[in-house]
Amino acid sequence: MSHEPTASQRASRKDEHLDLAIRLHGQDRTGAFDDVSFIHHGLPGISAEQVDIGTTVLGSRWEVPFYINAMTGGTRATAAINSDLAEAAADAGVAIACGSQHVALHDPERVDSFSVIRRRAPGAFVLANVGPTVGPEEAMRAVEMLQADALQIHLNAAQEMVMPEGDRDFTGWSEAISAIAAAVTVPVVVKEVGFGLSRRTIGALAHTGVAAVDVAGSGGTDFIAIENERRPRRDLSYLVGWGQPTALCLLESLAVDDPVDLPVLASGGVRNPLDVVRSLALGACAVGASGHFLRTLVKEGPEALRQELHTWSEHVRTLMTLLGAPDVSQLRRTDVLVTGRTAEQARALGVD
Ligand code: FNR
């Protein structure tokens, strides 16, 4: 059963998501990232000046190894958020994704709330965002709307299940992803929305022609919690916490046995520069955060977000220096300890 929402229903949902993502913070579960620690060595042997925090993503050089991940657009309030996010991203040399553009594909008056990102961040690496239910022609329009450098396709089955007006038909997504990847002129990244990509899912995506995956695991923004708040009886609270945490997804992604060897981006529950460095050490080529940057912007203002992005860059450099890693690839050679529940789950999955 599918209930196709109107453009204005979709748009007001965006405002509700923003409010709930901010309000429900603090109910975040303990981070699996805390199960990942580095062995400290007393002779790092390098200086901060030598450290290159840049990374290569989808064939492009990013000066900074973290990015503002997909969130919003479609309404007056979310246009202002996108404008502020984009200005901060441009100032700090950070890549930025927009939220799902479906609402603008159906209603041209809403295009500006997304394209503002490109206007405010003309030189940034910008990612467009659609779900696997759009056709290739719509996907291309989403890319053109932002003159985007890449396209994210979000997999949000768990969210749809809990969304009162959500989709209940998940057939044909792999085929749709292949069709979009074949049609668009920019690289395609398939991402989750906070429930994690499993080894099996990544293995399947490797055959669709996409350029990379973003595991977008649990531990941060929880769309089951958010959508449950929008249900009249809030009767699905028992599903909160569904999915695999980002650290576990990264461990599993290292074990994907596929000749395509898709590059992996990490996001979901990233709280600070140490989580960024942990994710890079576990094989991610770049690391996204949504909830943290959104809360910084909404609670403390645009200048605080700008500062925060610069602080994260500085701290990533400091941590890499401490770890003796002159570049991101060398972080993968650091000595990482995985303990606790994450180690136990990795063992159960046969990826320790
Ligand atoms: C999101 N996220 C998201 N993802 C996506 O691909 N398309 C979208 O439209 C949205 N919308 C959205 C709205 C809001 C308010 C938030 C906070 C998040 C999901 C996001 O990109 C990310 O995968 C998850 O939020 C997990 O990361 P954090 O928030 O734990 O850093």
Side-chain angles (χ1 to χ4, degrees), residues 14 17-18 21 69-72 98-101 129-130 152-154 191-194 214 216-217 219-221 223 226 267-270 288-292 294-295:
K14 304 296 164 181
H17 285 165
L18 268 189
N69 215 350
M71 279 188 270
T72 203
C98 70
S100 173
Q101 291 165 262
N129 187 291
V130 294
Q152 292 180 325
I153 302 178
H154 60 257
K191 74 184 283 289
E192 244 291 344
V193 298
D214 172 352
T221 303
F223 264 97
I226 289 175
S267 70
V270 172
S290 294
H292 176 82
L294 175 68
R295 287 188 295 273

PDB file of all heavy atoms in Angstrom, residues 14 17-18 21 69-72 98-101 129-130 152-154 191-194 214 216-217 219-221 223 226 267-270 288-292 294-295, ligand 1:
ATOM      1  N   LYS A  14       9.226  18.211   6.090  1.00  0.00           N
ATOM      2  CA  LYS A  14      10.644  18.626   6.206  1.00  0.00           C
ATOM      3  C   LYS A  14      10.836  19.499   7.444  1.00  0.00           C
ATOM      4  O   LYS A  14      11.819  19.366   8.154  1.00  0.00           O
ATOM      5  CB  LYS A  14      11.082  19.428   4.973  1.00  0.00           C
ATOM      6  CG  LYS A  14      10.893  18.725   3.663  1.00  0.00           C
ATOM      7  CD  LYS A  14      11.751  17.500   3.574  1.00  0.00           C
ATOM      8  CE  LYS A  14      11.287  16.612   2.448  1.00  0.00           C
ATOM      9  NZ  LYS A  14      12.033  15.403   2.308  1.00  0.00           N
ATOM     10  N   HIS A  17      10.706  17.261  10.481  1.00  0.00           N
ATOM     11  CA  HIS A  17      11.938  16.481  10.647  1.00  0.00           C
ATOM     12  C   HIS A  17      13.036  17.305  11.306  1.00  0.00           C
ATOM     13  O   HIS A  17      13.737  16.819  12.197  1.00  0.00           O
ATOM     14  CB  HIS A  17      12.432  15.972   9.281  1.00  0.00           C
ATOM     15  CG  HIS A  17      11.636  14.831   8.757  1.00  0.00           C
ATOM     16  ND1 HIS A  17      11.713  14.420   7.450  1.00  0.00           N
ATOM     17  CD2 HIS A  17      10.760  14.000   9.353  1.00  0.00           C
ATOM     18  CE1 HIS A  17      10.902  13.385   7.264  1.00  0.00           C
ATOM     19  NE2 HIS A  17      10.313  13.111   8.416  1.00  0.00           N
ATOM     20  N   LEU A  18      13.144  18.558  10.860  1.00  0.00           N
ATOM     21  CA  LEU A  18      14.176  19.431  11.435  1.00  0.00           C
ATOM     22  C   LEU A  18      13.952  19.599  12.936  1.00  0.00           C
ATOM     23  O   LEU A  18      14.866  19.409  13.735  1.00  0.00           O
ATOM     24  CB  LEU A  18      14.085  20.815  10.809  1.00  0.00           C
ATOM     25  CG  LEU A  18      14.912  21.129   9.588  1.00  0.00           C
ATOM     26  CD1 LEU A  18      14.793  22.619   9.308  1.00  0.00           C
ATOM     27  CD2 LEU A  18      16.366  20.764   9.797  1.00  0.00           C
ATOM     28  N   ALA A  21      14.578  16.321  14.801  1.00  0.00           N
ATOM     29  CA  ALA A  21      15.998  15.920  14.826  1.00  0.00           C
ATOM     30  C   ALA A  21      16.720  16.694  15.924  1.00  0.00           C
ATOM     31  O   ALA A  21      17.622  16.169  16.587  1.00  0.00           O
ATOM     32  CB  ALA A  21      16.650  16.171  13.468  1.00  0.00           C
ATOM     33  N   ASN A  69      26.437  16.256   5.669  1.00  0.00           N
ATOM     34  CA  ASN A  69      25.640  15.263   4.941  1.00  0.00           C
ATOM     35  C   ASN A  69      24.201  15.744   4.730  1.00  0.00           C
ATOM     36  O   ASN A  69      23.751  16.713   5.339  1.00  0.00           O
ATOM     37  CB  ASN A  69      25.677  13.910   5.671  1.00  0.00           C
ATOM     38  CG  ASN A  69      25.662  12.747   4.694  1.00  0.00           C
ATOM     39  OD1 ASN A  69      25.437  12.929   3.493  1.00  0.00           O
ATOM     40  ND2 ASN A  69      25.895  11.554   5.197  1.00  0.00           N
ATOM     41  N   ALA A  70      23.485  14.975   3.909  1.00  0.00           N
ATOM     42  CA  ALA A  70      22.143  15.348   3.440  1.00  0.00           C
ATOM     43  C   ALA A  70      21.189  15.682   4.581  1.00  0.00           C
ATOM     44  O   ALA A  70      21.098  14.945   5.560  1.00  0.00           O
ATOM     45  CB  ALA A  70      21.571  14.185   2.645  1.00  0.00           C
ATOM     46  N   MET A  71      20.461  16.774   4.424  1.00  0.00           N
ATOM     47  CA  MET A  71      19.430  17.081   5.401  1.00  0.00           C
ATOM     48  C   MET A  71      18.141  17.614   4.794  1.00  0.00           C
ATOM     49  O   MET A  71      17.115  16.972   4.877  1.00  0.00           O
ATOM     50  CB  MET A  71      19.964  18.030   6.475  1.00  0.00           C
ATOM     51  CG  MET A  71      20.766  17.296   7.538  1.00  0.00           C
ATOM     52  SD  MET A  71      21.213  18.309   8.912  1.00  0.00           S
ATOM     53  CE  MET A  71      22.770  18.953   8.364  1.00  0.00           C
ATOM     54  N   THR A  72      18.205  18.796   4.170  1.00  0.00           N
ATOM     55  CA  THR A  72      16.903  19.425   4.036  1.00  0.00           C
ATOM     56  C   THR A  72      16.719  20.291   2.802  1.00  0.00           C
ATOM     57  O   THR A  72      17.566  20.363   1.923  1.00  0.00           O
ATOM     58  CB  THR A  72      16.596  20.165   5.361  1.00  0.00           C
ATOM     59  OG1 THR A  72      15.215  20.326   5.488  1.00  0.00           O
ATOM     60  CG2 THR A  72      17.348  21.479   5.454  1.00  0.00           C
ATOM     61  N   CYS A  98      22.627  18.158  -0.147  1.00  0.00           N
ATOM     62  CA  CYS A  98      21.318  18.728   0.204  1.00  0.00           C
ATOM     63  C   CYS A  98      20.377  17.593   0.609  1.00  0.00           C
ATOM     64  O   CYS A  98      20.718  16.411   0.491  1.00  0.00           O
ATOM     65  CB  CYS A  98      20.736  19.520  -0.957  1.00  0.00           C
ATOM     66  SG  CYS A  98      20.208  18.514  -2.328  1.00  0.00           S
ATOM     67  N   GLY A  99      19.203  17.950   1.090  1.00  0.00           N
ATOM     68  CA  GLY A  99      18.212  16.939   1.443  1.00  0.00           C
ATOM     69  C   GLY A  99      17.497  16.425   0.205  1.00  0.00           C
ATOM     70  O   GLY A  99      17.709  16.938  -0.912  1.00  0.00           O
ATOM     71  N   SER A 100      16.644  15.450   0.402  1.00  0.00           N
ATOM     72  CA  SER A 100      15.901  14.848  -0.708  1.00  0.00           C
ATOM     73  C   SER A 100      15.189  15.916  -1.533  1.00  0.00           C
ATOM     74  O   SER A 100      14.457  16.745  -0.992  1.00  0.00           O
ATOM     75  CB  SER A 100      14.874  13.869  -0.141  1.00  0.00           C
ATOM     76  OG  SER A 100      14.059  13.428  -1.198  1.00  0.00           O
ATOM     77  N   GLN A 101      15.393  15.872  -2.837  1.00  0.00           N
ATOM     78  CA  GLN A 101      14.865  16.916  -3.721  1.00  0.00           C
ATOM     79  C   GLN A 101      13.506  16.572  -4.324  1.00  0.00           C
ATOM     80  O   GLN A 101      13.014  17.315  -5.180  1.00  0.00           O
ATOM     81  CB  GLN A 101      15.886  17.192  -4.835  1.00  0.00           C
ATOM     82  CG  GLN A 101      17.156  17.866  -4.331  1.00  0.00           C
ATOM     83  CD  GLN A 101      18.277  17.799  -5.348  1.00  0.00           C
ATOM     84  OE1 GLN A 101      19.132  16.940  -5.262  1.00  0.00           O
ATOM     85  NE2 GLN A 101      18.286  18.691  -6.317  1.00  0.00           N
ATOM     86  N   ASN A 129      20.487  14.923  -4.047  1.00  0.00           N
ATOM     87  CA  ASN A 129      19.950  13.812  -3.256  1.00  0.00           C
ATOM     88  C   ASN A 129      18.534  13.430  -3.708  1.00  0.00           C
ATOM     89  O   ASN A 129      17.646  14.283  -3.748  1.00  0.00           O
ATOM     90  CB  ASN A 129      19.937  14.212  -1.768  1.00  0.00           C
ATOM     91  CG  ASN A 129      19.550  13.061  -0.850  1.00  0.00           C
ATOM     92  OD1 ASN A 129      18.403  12.615  -0.848  1.00  0.00           O
ATOM     93  ND2 ASN A 129      20.489  12.578  -0.068  1.00  0.00           N
ATOM     94  N   VAL A 130      18.381  12.165  -4.052  1.00  0.00           N
ATOM     95  CA  VAL A 130      17.052  11.616  -4.397  1.00  0.00           C
ATOM     96  C   VAL A 130      16.921  10.222  -3.773  1.00  0.00           C
ATOM     97  O   VAL A 130      17.912   9.652  -3.297  1.00  0.00           O
ATOM     98  CB  VAL A 130      16.841  11.494  -5.930  1.00  0.00           C
ATOM     99  CG1 VAL A 130      16.813  12.854  -6.609  1.00  0.00           C
ATOM    100  CG2 VAL A 130      17.903  10.583  -6.556  1.00  0.00           C
ATOM    101  N   GLN A 152      23.614  11.665  -4.525  1.00  0.00           N
ATOM    102  CA  GLN A 152      23.338  10.651  -3.499  1.00  0.00           C
ATOM    103  C   GLN A 152      21.962  10.037  -3.771  1.00  0.00           C
ATOM    104  O   GLN A 152      21.007  10.764  -4.065  1.00  0.00           O
ATOM    105  CB  GLN A 152      23.290  11.277  -2.105  1.00  0.00           C
ATOM    106  CG  GLN A 152      24.602  11.798  -1.579  1.00  0.00           C
ATOM    107  CD  GLN A 152      24.450  12.397  -0.186  1.00  0.00           C
ATOM    108  OE1 GLN A 152      23.427  12.992   0.139  1.00  0.00           O
ATOM    109  NE2 GLN A 152      25.473  12.257   0.640  1.00  0.00           N
ATOM    110  N   ILE A 153      21.879   8.719  -3.620  1.00  0.00           N
ATOM    111  CA  ILE A 153      20.564   8.052  -3.619  1.00  0.00           C
ATOM    112  C   ILE A 153      20.381   7.486  -2.217  1.00  0.00           C
ATOM    113  O   ILE A 153      21.206   6.687  -1.751  1.00  0.00           O
ATOM    114  CB  ILE A 153      20.501   6.906  -4.651  1.00  0.00           C
ATOM    115  CG1 ILE A 153      20.804   7.423  -6.065  1.00  0.00           C
ATOM    116  CG2 ILE A 153      19.118   6.234  -4.607  1.00  0.00           C
ATOM    117  CD1 ILE A 153      20.809   6.328  -7.130  1.00  0.00           C
ATOM    118  N   HIS A 154      19.331   7.924  -1.530  1.00  0.00           N
ATOM    119  CA  HIS A 154      19.152   7.456  -0.144  1.00  0.00           C
ATOM    120  C   HIS A 154      18.279   6.199  -0.093  1.00  0.00           C
ATOM    121  O   HIS A 154      17.284   6.096  -0.808  1.00  0.00           O
ATOM    122  CB  HIS A 154      18.588   8.566   0.758  1.00  0.00           C
ATOM    123  CG  HIS A 154      17.252   9.090   0.345  1.00  0.00           C
ATOM    124  ND1 HIS A 154      17.080  10.290  -0.294  1.00  0.00           N
ATOM    125  CD2 HIS A 154      16.005   8.574   0.501  1.00  0.00           C
ATOM    126  CE1 HIS A 154      15.799  10.501  -0.514  1.00  0.00           C
ATOM    127  NE2 HIS A 154      15.110   9.470  -0.050  1.00  0.00           N
ATOM    128  N   LYS A 191      23.498   5.919  -0.204  1.00  0.00           N
ATOM    129  CA  LYS A 191      23.638   6.072   1.245  1.00  0.00           C
ATOM    130  C   LYS A 191      22.415   5.550   1.979  1.00  0.00           C
ATOM    131  O   LYS A 191      21.304   5.552   1.445  1.00  0.00           O
ATOM    132  CB  LYS A 191      23.869   7.543   1.614  1.00  0.00           C
ATOM    133  CG  LYS A 191      22.623   8.431   1.503  1.00  0.00           C
ATOM    134  CD  LYS A 191      22.947   9.890   1.791  1.00  0.00           C
ATOM    135  CE  LYS A 191      23.123  10.234   3.245  1.00  0.00           C
ATOM    136  NZ  LYS A 191      21.847  10.214   3.999  1.00  0.00           N
ATOM    137  N   GLU A 192      22.641   5.153   3.220  1.00  0.00           N
ATOM    138  CA  GLU A 192      21.539   4.876   4.138  1.00  0.00           C
ATOM    139  C   GLU A 192      21.147   6.210   4.783  1.00  0.00           C
ATOM    140  O   GLU A 192      21.719   7.252   4.444  1.00  0.00           O
ATOM    141  CB  GLU A 192      21.985   3.867   5.212  1.00  0.00           C
ATOM    142  CG  GLU A 192      21.249   2.530   5.175  1.00  0.00           C
ATOM    143  CD  GLU A 192      19.785   2.611   5.596  1.00  0.00           C
ATOM    144  OE1 GLU A 192      19.380   3.612   6.203  1.00  0.00           O
ATOM    145  OE2 GLU A 192      19.030   1.665   5.325  1.00  0.00           O
ATOM    146  N   VAL A 193      20.214   6.201   5.699  1.00  0.00           N
ATOM    147  CA  VAL A 193      19.845   7.454   6.383  1.00  0.00           C
ATOM    148  C   VAL A 193      19.985   7.312   7.899  1.00  0.00           C
ATOM    149  O   VAL A 193      19.375   8.050   8.663  1.00  0.00           O
ATOM    150  CB  VAL A 193      18.417   7.903   6.008  1.00  0.00           C
ATOM    151  CG1 VAL A 193      18.305   8.180   4.515  1.00  0.00           C
ATOM    152  CG2 VAL A 193      17.374   6.873   6.445  1.00  0.00           C
ATOM    153  N   GLY A 194      20.820   6.363   8.334  1.00  0.00           N
ATOM    154  CA  GLY A 194      21.059   6.212   9.770  1.00  0.00           C
ATOM    155  C   GLY A 194      20.731   4.818  10.298  1.00  0.00           C
ATOM    156  O   GLY A 194      20.603   4.632  11.513  1.00  0.00           O
ATOM    157  N   ASP A 214      27.839   5.242   1.157  1.00  0.00           N
ATOM    158  CA  ASP A 214      27.983   5.916   2.456  1.00  0.00           C
ATOM    159  C   ASP A 214      27.191   5.063   3.442  1.00  0.00           C
ATOM    160  O   ASP A 214      25.964   4.971   3.337  1.00  0.00           O
ATOM    161  CB  ASP A 214      27.411   7.333   2.348  1.00  0.00           C
ATOM    162  CG  ASP A 214      27.339   8.063   3.687  1.00  0.00           C
ATOM    163  OD1 ASP A 214      27.581   7.443   4.743  1.00  0.00           O
ATOM    164  OD2 ASP A 214      27.023   9.269   3.674  1.00  0.00           O
ATOM    165  N   ALA A 216      26.262   5.362   6.476  1.00  0.00           N
ATOM    166  CA  ALA A 216      25.237   6.075   7.258  1.00  0.00           C
ATOM    167  C   ALA A 216      24.570   5.176   8.306  1.00  0.00           C
ATOM    168  O   ALA A 216      23.378   4.890   8.246  1.00  0.00           O
ATOM    169  CB  ALA A 216      24.190   6.706   6.330  1.00  0.00           C
ATOM    170  N   GLY A 217      25.361   4.797   9.280  1.00  0.00           N
ATOM    171  CA  GLY A 217      24.897   3.853  10.293  1.00  0.00           C
ATOM    172  C   GLY A 217      24.160   4.507  11.447  1.00  0.00           C
ATOM    173  O   GLY A 217      23.958   5.729  11.490  1.00  0.00           O
ATOM    174  N   GLY A 219      23.360   5.350  15.606  1.00  0.00           N
ATOM    175  CA  GLY A 219      24.152   5.915  16.692  1.00  0.00           C
ATOM    176  C   GLY A 219      23.964   7.420  16.805  1.00  0.00           C
ATOM    177  O   GLY A 219      24.374   8.034  17.784  1.00  0.00           O
ATOM    178  N   GLY A 220      23.365   8.026  15.779  1.00  0.00           N
ATOM    179  CA  GLY A 220      23.099   9.468  15.819  1.00  0.00           C
ATOM    180  C   GLY A 220      21.637   9.715  15.555  1.00  0.00           C
ATOM    181  O   GLY A 220      20.771   9.174  16.262  1.00  0.00           O
ATOM    182  N   THR A 221      21.341  10.507  14.528  1.00  0.00           N
ATOM    183  CA  THR A 221      19.952  10.774  14.165  1.00  0.00           C
ATOM    184  C   THR A 221      19.235   9.452  13.885  1.00  0.00           C
ATOM    185  O   THR A 221      19.738   8.621  13.127  1.00  0.00           O
ATOM    186  CB  THR A 221      19.909  11.656  12.900  1.00  0.00           C
ATOM    187  OG1 THR A 221      20.656  12.843  13.162  1.00  0.00           O
ATOM    188  CG2 THR A 221      18.472  12.012  12.532  1.00  0.00           C
ATOM    189  N   PHE A 223      15.815   8.023  12.482  1.00  0.00           N
ATOM    190  CA  PHE A 223      14.563   8.367  11.813  1.00  0.00           C
ATOM    191  C   PHE A 223      13.387   7.512  12.253  1.00  0.00           C
ATOM    192  O   PHE A 223      12.234   7.871  12.010  1.00  0.00           O
ATOM    193  CB  PHE A 223      14.731   8.371  10.284  1.00  0.00           C
ATOM    194  CG  PHE A 223      15.004   9.747   9.772  1.00  0.00           C
ATOM    195  CD1 PHE A 223      16.303  10.162   9.514  1.00  0.00           C
ATOM    196  CD2 PHE A 223      13.972  10.654   9.612  1.00  0.00           C
ATOM    197  CE1 PHE A 223      16.554  11.459   9.090  1.00  0.00           C
ATOM    198  CE2 PHE A 223      14.211  11.946   9.188  1.00  0.00           C
ATOM    199  CZ  PHE A 223      15.512  12.353   8.927  1.00  0.00           C
ATOM    200  N   ILE A 226      12.219   9.665  15.067  1.00  0.00           N
ATOM    201  CA  ILE A 226      11.602  10.889  14.528  1.00  0.00           C
ATOM    202  C   ILE A 226      10.209  10.586  13.966  1.00  0.00           C
ATOM    203  O   ILE A 226       9.230  11.254  14.292  1.00  0.00           O
ATOM    204  CB  ILE A 226      12.526  11.509  13.441  1.00  0.00           C
ATOM    205  CG1 ILE A 226      13.776  12.097  14.094  1.00  0.00           C
ATOM    206  CG2 ILE A 226      11.782  12.574  12.619  1.00  0.00           C
ATOM    207  CD1 ILE A 226      14.831  12.624  13.118  1.00  0.00           C
ATOM    208  N   SER A 267      29.151   7.766   7.744  1.00  0.00           N
ATOM    209  CA  SER A 267      28.396   8.784   8.479  1.00  0.00           C
ATOM    210  C   SER A 267      27.435   8.073   9.402  1.00  0.00           C
ATOM    211  O   SER A 267      27.249   6.855   9.321  1.00  0.00           O
ATOM    212  CB  SER A 267      27.645   9.722   7.528  1.00  0.00           C
ATOM    213  OG  SER A 267      26.588   9.050   6.898  1.00  0.00           O
ATOM    214  N   GLY A 268      26.807   8.855  10.290  1.00  0.00           N
ATOM    215  CA  GLY A 268      25.870   8.298  11.261  1.00  0.00           C
ATOM    216  C   GLY A 268      26.476   8.350  12.648  1.00  0.00           C
ATOM    217  O   GLY A 268      27.372   7.567  12.967  1.00  0.00           O
ATOM    218  N   GLY A 269      26.025   9.303  13.460  1.00  0.00           N
ATOM    219  CA  GLY A 269      26.494   9.371  14.845  1.00  0.00           C
ATOM    220  C   GLY A 269      27.885   9.945  15.008  1.00  0.00           C
ATOM    221  O   GLY A 269      28.500   9.776  16.070  1.00  0.00           O
ATOM    222  N   VAL A 270      28.375  10.657  13.999  1.00  0.00           N
ATOM    223  CA  VAL A 270      29.713  11.273  14.103  1.00  0.00           C
ATOM    224  C   VAL A 270      29.571  12.536  14.952  1.00  0.00           C
ATOM    225  O   VAL A 270      28.815  13.441  14.617  1.00  0.00           O
ATOM    226  CB  VAL A 270      30.268  11.594  12.695  1.00  0.00           C
ATOM    227  CG1 VAL A 270      31.551  12.415  12.780  1.00  0.00           C
ATOM    228  CG2 VAL A 270      30.489  10.289  11.929  1.00  0.00           C
ATOM    229  N   GLY A 288      30.872  11.913   6.983  1.00  0.00           N
ATOM    230  CA  GLY A 288      29.798  12.902   6.991  1.00  0.00           C
ATOM    231  C   GLY A 288      29.156  13.048   8.362  1.00  0.00           C
ATOM    232  O   GLY A 288      29.123  12.106   9.156  1.00  0.00           O
ATOM    233  N   ALA A 289      28.647  14.239   8.623  1.00  0.00           N
ATOM    234  CA  ALA A 289      27.844  14.448   9.834  1.00  0.00           C
ATOM    235  C   ALA A 289      26.670  15.345   9.462  1.00  0.00           C
ATOM    236  O   ALA A 289      26.826  16.281   8.665  1.00  0.00           O
ATOM    237  CB  ALA A 289      28.672  15.091  10.942  1.00  0.00           C
ATOM    238  N   SER A 290      25.511  15.040  10.003  1.00  0.00           N
ATOM    239  CA  SER A 290      24.325  15.859   9.767  1.00  0.00           C
ATOM    240  C   SER A 290      23.861  16.484  11.075  1.00  0.00           C
ATOM    241  O   SER A 290      23.948  17.692  11.266  1.00  0.00           O
ATOM    242  CB  SER A 290      23.192  14.996   9.185  1.00  0.00           C
ATOM    243  OG  SER A 290      23.524  14.530   7.919  1.00  0.00           O
ATOM    244  N   GLY A 291      23.369  15.639  11.977  1.00  0.00           N
ATOM    245  CA  GLY A 291      22.743  16.116  13.209  1.00  0.00           C
ATOM    246  C   GLY A 291      23.630  17.082  13.985  1.00  0.00           C
ATOM    247  O   GLY A 291      23.166  18.130  14.435  1.00  0.00           O
ATOM    248  N   HIS A 292      24.895  16.761  14.126  1.00  0.00           N
ATOM    249  CA  HIS A 292      25.771  17.620  14.930  1.00  0.00           C
ATOM    250  C   HIS A 292      25.865  19.032  14.343  1.00  0.00           C
ATOM    251  O   HIS A 292      25.754  20.025  15.062  1.00  0.00           O
ATOM    252  CB  HIS A 292      27.170  17.000  15.048  1.00  0.00           C
ATOM    253  CG  HIS A 292      28.126  17.885  15.780  1.00  0.00           C
ATOM    254  ND1 HIS A 292      28.179  17.935  17.157  1.00  0.00           N
ATOM    255  CD2 HIS A 292      29.010  18.824  15.338  1.00  0.00           C
ATOM    256  CE1 HIS A 292      29.076  18.842  17.529  1.00  0.00           C
ATOM    257  NE2 HIS A 292      29.601  19.394  16.438  1.00  0.00           N
ATOM    258  N   LEU A 294      23.779  20.463  12.242  1.00  0.00           N
ATOM    259  CA  LEU A 294      22.456  21.101  12.290  1.00  0.00           C
ATOM    260  C   LEU A 294      22.219  21.727  13.666  1.00  0.00           C
ATOM    261  O   LEU A 294      21.776  22.869  13.788  1.00  0.00           O
ATOM    262  CB  LEU A 294      21.365  20.064  11.986  1.00  0.00           C
ATOM    263  CG  LEU A 294      19.930  20.571  12.117  1.00  0.00           C
ATOM    264  CD1 LEU A 294      19.621  21.598  11.034  1.00  0.00           C
ATOM    265  CD2 LEU A 294      18.934  19.408  12.044  1.00  0.00           C
ATOM    266  N   ARG A 295      22.501  20.966  14.702  1.00  0.00           N
ATOM    267  CA  ARG A 295      22.266  21.480  16.062  1.00  0.00           C
ATOM    268  C   ARG A 295      23.171  22.675  16.361  1.00  0.00           C
ATOM    269  O   ARG A 295      22.749  23.630  16.995  1.00  0.00           O
ATOM    270  CB  ARG A 295      22.473  20.368  17.097  1.00  0.00           C
ATOM    271  CG  ARG A 295      21.356  19.342  17.088  1.00  0.00           C
ATOM    272  CD  ARG A 295      21.475  18.370  18.239  1.00  0.00           C
ATOM    273  NE  ARG A 295      22.659  17.540  18.145  1.00  0.00           N
ATOM    274  CZ  ARG A 295      22.710  16.395  17.472  1.00  0.00           C
ATOM    275  NH1 ARG A 295      21.641  15.935  16.854  1.00  0.00           N
ATOM    276  NH2 ARG A 295      23.816  15.696  17.427  1.00  0.00           N
TER     277      ARG A 295
HETATM  278  C1  FNR B   1      18.539  13.695   7.328  1.00  0.00           C
HETATM  279  N1  FNR B   1      19.063  12.678   6.521  1.00  0.00           N
HETATM  280  C2  FNR B   1      18.709  12.629   5.175  1.00  0.00           C
HETATM  281  N2  FNR B   1      19.374  11.797   4.334  1.00  0.00           N
HETATM  282  C3  FNR B   1      19.079  11.785   3.011  1.00  0.00           C
HETATM  283  O1  FNR B   1      19.739  11.067   2.259  1.00  0.00           O
HETATM  284  N3  FNR B   1      18.080  12.569   2.509  1.00  0.00           N
HETATM  285  C4  FNR B   1      17.365  13.411   3.307  1.00  0.00           C
HETATM  286  O2  FNR B   1      16.480  14.117   2.844  1.00  0.00           O
HETATM  287  C5  FNR B   1      17.680  13.446   4.701  1.00  0.00           C
HETATM  288  N4  FNR B   1      16.993  14.272   5.551  1.00  0.00           N
HETATM  289  C6  FNR B   1      17.463  14.479   6.839  1.00  0.00           C
HETATM  290  C7  FNR B   1      16.908  15.480   7.632  1.00  0.00           C
HETATM  291  C8  FNR B   1      17.434  15.751   8.890  1.00  0.00           C
HETATM  292  C9  FNR B   1      16.839  16.852   9.710  1.00  0.00           C
HETATM  293  C10 FNR B   1      18.533  14.982   9.378  1.00  0.00           C
HETATM  294  C11 FNR B   1      19.135  15.269  10.729  1.00  0.00           C
HETATM  295  C12 FNR B   1      19.055  13.972   8.606  1.00  0.00           C
HETATM  296  C13 FNR B   1      19.973  11.657   7.056  1.00  0.00           C
HETATM  297  C14 FNR B   1      21.410  12.103   7.141  1.00  0.00           C
HETATM  298  O3  FNR B   1      21.952  12.384   5.865  1.00  0.00           O
HETATM  299  C15 FNR B   1      22.281  11.035   7.834  1.00  0.00           C
HETATM  300  O4  FNR B   1      22.348   9.877   7.044  1.00  0.00           O
HETATM  301  C16 FNR B   1      21.748  10.671   9.215  1.00  0.00           C
HETATM  302  O5  FNR B   1      21.209  11.808   9.826  1.00  0.00           O
HETATM  303  C17 FNR B   1      22.784  10.123  10.136  1.00  0.00           C
HETATM  304  O6  FNR B   1      23.783  11.075  10.386  1.00  0.00           O
HETATM  305  P1  FNR B   1      23.882  11.922  11.775  1.00  0.00           P
HETATM  306  O7  FNR B   1      22.727  12.852  11.800  1.00  0.00           O
HETATM  307  O8  FNR B   1      23.833  10.917  12.881  1.00  0.00           O
HETATM  308  O9  FNR B   1      25.181  12.649  11.651  1.00  0.00           O
END
